[in-house]
Amino acid sequence: MENRVVFTEEMAKDYTILIPQMAPFHFELLSATLNSFGYKSEVINNNSKEIAYLGNKYVHNDTCVPAIYVIGQFLDALNSGHYDVHKVALIITQTGGGCRASNYIHLLRSALKKADYGFIPVISLNASNIESNPGFKLSFNLLKKLIQSITLGDLLMLLYNQTIPYETNKGTTKELSEYWINYLSQEYLNNKKISSFRLKKHLKAMINDFNNIPITNELKVKVGIVGEIYVKYSPLGNNNLEDFLINEGCEVKTLGIVDFILYTFESVAYDIKQYGNNSLLMRLVYKLMVYYVEHPRKYINSIIKKTRYAHILEFKKLKRLAQPYLGYGTHVGEGWLLTAEIIELIQSGINNIITTQPFGCLPNHIVAKGMFKTIKEAYPKANLGSIDYDTSASKINQENRIKLLLMNAKSNLHNQQEKS
Ligand code: SF4
């Protein structure tokens, strides 16, 4: 019999589900979506120094950095006194892939026990039926709406990053992005279903709002961020990398979470074909899911082409970019997607790329730093840097290494300006 605290239907009535922060443009919307389905959830935004301390105290330091941060953040929130610890549940994803991420949940439960919180239920968020709870159901409609909110979060992040370095009036872009996060959170909270017509209306209005922000026409260094999903998006995990780059006068490009979802679907379809019963029906279901998830981005591109913003690359084209370098069976961690994202950025004119690596994350070292030599042979102008993130890593060292990459980037931009 399973030795875990199950999240019951009774608990679902009044327990607060705590969500660890990973992607600030997306997670408030995800929480609003859960709440519109009757749950009471909250994103925890604590970022004290205690997080790393607690993570290291209750999780073995050989474990992946994202697990240490996420577990530390949960424990810090529970210790904070803000919550009735007998009325909270924690939620964590289980991707079901070949990497350790699917086992973070067990590390979390073990840490809770050691910290005397063993009575707190932990919910697994997964679409593969790995673990279930009577009080939490990832229905098709909930999954659809969660994916929809990720599409909106991705767009918001892309618009924000392409606007903020150029804004004429300081603060306008941040203000507008906060407005949209609040507006959409209310909209998603108050309506259980958002029609495709309504979604399109929001996408269009958001693009137009950002496009109307007055900007300068300066040339800025463009820097792409790729990497392991947690340290790529989480300001806690990457020591506020996006803000640091923006303060250094750069335009940042971090590609969307939707691509990671599509990559996960594709990986399942690949495995079914290679190792499963090769069921045509199953493969068709996954292909249809890819089509469904990607569909709103076609609409986004049709609006974006009339603006100053860059279009979003179709997933099948992104996938093709990895083909000369890696097989599609390379799908542990971020797998072929990470390499494909580097190539996408370079082909779109962004040669300066930082890969964010949790210290000791072997799968992502292979498809990131491990590919640098090959990528540089194909794209000699590529200016690539790999930064390790660890709870004990010095922020100053990380920033100094990034500054070296930026020195090259700035001198390349200067040379380019001289020539034109
Ligand atoms: S991808 Fe890296 S950080 Fe993530 S679970 Fe695997 S080894 Fe750990």
Short mmCIF file of all heavy atoms in Angstrom, two decimals, residues 63-71 104 228 230-231 358:
data_model
loop_
_atom_site.label_atom_id
_atom_site.label_comp_id
_atom_site.label_asym_id
_atom_site.label_seq_id
_atom_site.Cartn_x
_atom_site.Cartn_y
_atom_site.Cartn_z
N THR A 63 21.48 16.12 -5.11
CA THR A 63 20.23 16.17 -5.89
C THR A 63 20.20 17.41 -6.78
O THR A 63 20.90 18.39 -6.52
CB THR A 63 19.03 16.19 -4.90
OG1 THR A 63 19.20 15.10 -4.03
CG2 THR A 63 17.72 16.08 -5.61
N CYS A 64 19.37 17.34 -7.81
CA CYS A 64 19.27 18.45 -8.76
C CYS A 64 18.91 19.76 -8.05
O CYS A 64 18.07 19.78 -7.15
CB CYS A 64 18.17 18.16 -9.76
SG CYS A 64 18.31 16.54 -10.46
N VAL A 65 19.54 20.83 -8.51
CA VAL A 65 19.32 22.16 -7.92
C VAL A 65 17.83 22.57 -7.91
O VAL A 65 17.34 23.10 -6.92
CB VAL A 65 20.20 23.19 -8.67
CG1 VAL A 65 19.87 24.61 -8.25
CG2 VAL A 65 21.65 22.87 -8.43
N PRO A 66 17.09 22.33 -9.02
CA PRO A 66 15.67 22.73 -8.97
C PRO A 66 14.92 22.09 -7.80
O PRO A 66 14.10 22.74 -7.16
CB PRO A 66 15.11 22.23 -10.32
CG PRO A 66 16.30 22.18 -11.22
CD PRO A 66 17.45 21.80 -10.35
N ALA A 67 15.24 20.83 -7.49
CA ALA A 67 14.56 20.16 -6.37
C ALA A 67 14.91 20.85 -5.06
O ALA A 67 14.05 21.07 -4.20
CB ALA A 67 14.96 18.69 -6.31
N ILE A 68 16.18 21.23 -4.90
CA ILE A 68 16.61 21.88 -3.65
C ILE A 68 15.87 23.21 -3.47
O ILE A 68 15.36 23.52 -2.40
CB ILE A 68 18.15 22.07 -3.65
CG1 ILE A 68 18.82 20.69 -3.63
CG2 ILE A 68 18.60 22.92 -2.46
CD1 ILE A 68 20.33 20.71 -3.68
N TYR A 69 15.77 23.98 -4.57
CA TYR A 69 15.09 25.29 -4.48
C TYR A 69 13.59 25.11 -4.21
O TYR A 69 13.01 25.78 -3.37
CB TYR A 69 15.27 26.09 -5.77
CG TYR A 69 16.56 26.89 -5.79
CD1 TYR A 69 17.51 26.69 -6.78
CD2 TYR A 69 16.83 27.84 -4.81
CE1 TYR A 69 18.69 27.41 -6.80
CE2 TYR A 69 18.01 28.58 -4.82
CZ TYR A 69 18.93 28.36 -5.82
OH TYR A 69 20.10 29.09 -5.84
N VAL A 70 12.95 24.22 -4.99
CA VAL A 70 11.50 24.07 -4.86
C VAL A 70 11.14 23.57 -3.46
O VAL A 70 10.25 24.12 -2.80
CB VAL A 70 10.96 23.11 -5.95
CG1 VAL A 70 9.52 22.72 -5.66
CG2 VAL A 70 11.06 23.75 -7.33
N ILE A 71 11.87 22.58 -2.98
CA ILE A 71 11.57 22.03 -1.65
C ILE A 71 11.89 23.06 -0.58
O ILE A 71 11.12 23.27 0.37
CB ILE A 71 12.32 20.68 -1.44
CG1 ILE A 71 11.76 19.65 -2.44
CG2 ILE A 71 12.20 20.19 -0.01
CD1 ILE A 71 12.51 18.35 -2.56
N TYR A 104 11.10 14.16 -7.87
CA TYR A 104 11.18 15.26 -6.89
C TYR A 104 10.10 15.08 -5.82
O TYR A 104 10.29 15.42 -4.66
CB TYR A 104 10.96 16.61 -7.56
CG TYR A 104 12.08 17.13 -8.44
CD1 TYR A 104 13.26 16.41 -8.65
CD2 TYR A 104 11.96 18.37 -9.06
CE1 TYR A 104 14.26 16.91 -9.46
CE2 TYR A 104 12.96 18.89 -9.86
CZ TYR A 104 14.11 18.15 -10.06
OH TYR A 104 15.09 18.66 -10.87
N GLU A 228 17.85 24.31 -18.74
CA GLU A 228 16.94 23.45 -17.97
C GLU A 228 15.75 24.30 -17.55
O GLU A 228 15.92 25.46 -17.14
CB GLU A 228 17.71 22.89 -16.76
CG GLU A 228 16.94 21.90 -15.92
CD GLU A 228 15.99 22.55 -14.93
OE1 GLU A 228 16.22 23.71 -14.52
OE2 GLU A 228 15.01 21.90 -14.56
N TYR A 230 13.64 24.84 -15.11
CA TYR A 230 13.49 25.60 -13.86
C TYR A 230 14.47 26.77 -13.82
O TYR A 230 14.06 27.92 -13.63
CB TYR A 230 13.66 24.67 -12.65
CG TYR A 230 13.45 25.42 -11.34
CD1 TYR A 230 12.17 25.67 -10.86
CD2 TYR A 230 14.53 25.90 -10.60
CE1 TYR A 230 11.97 26.38 -9.68
CE2 TYR A 230 14.35 26.60 -9.42
CZ TYR A 230 13.06 26.84 -8.96
OH TYR A 230 12.87 27.54 -7.79
N VAL A 231 15.75 26.49 -14.01
CA VAL A 231 16.70 27.61 -13.90
C VAL A 231 16.60 28.57 -15.09
O VAL A 231 17.04 29.71 -15.01
CB VAL A 231 18.17 27.16 -13.68
CG1 VAL A 231 18.38 26.59 -12.31
CG2 VAL A 231 18.66 26.22 -14.73
N PRO A 358 21.61 23.68 -14.20
CA PRO A 358 21.72 23.33 -12.78
C PRO A 358 23.03 22.57 -12.62
O PRO A 358 23.37 21.72 -13.46
CB PRO A 358 20.54 22.38 -12.54
CG PRO A 358 19.63 22.58 -13.71
CD PRO A 358 20.48 22.99 -14.86
#
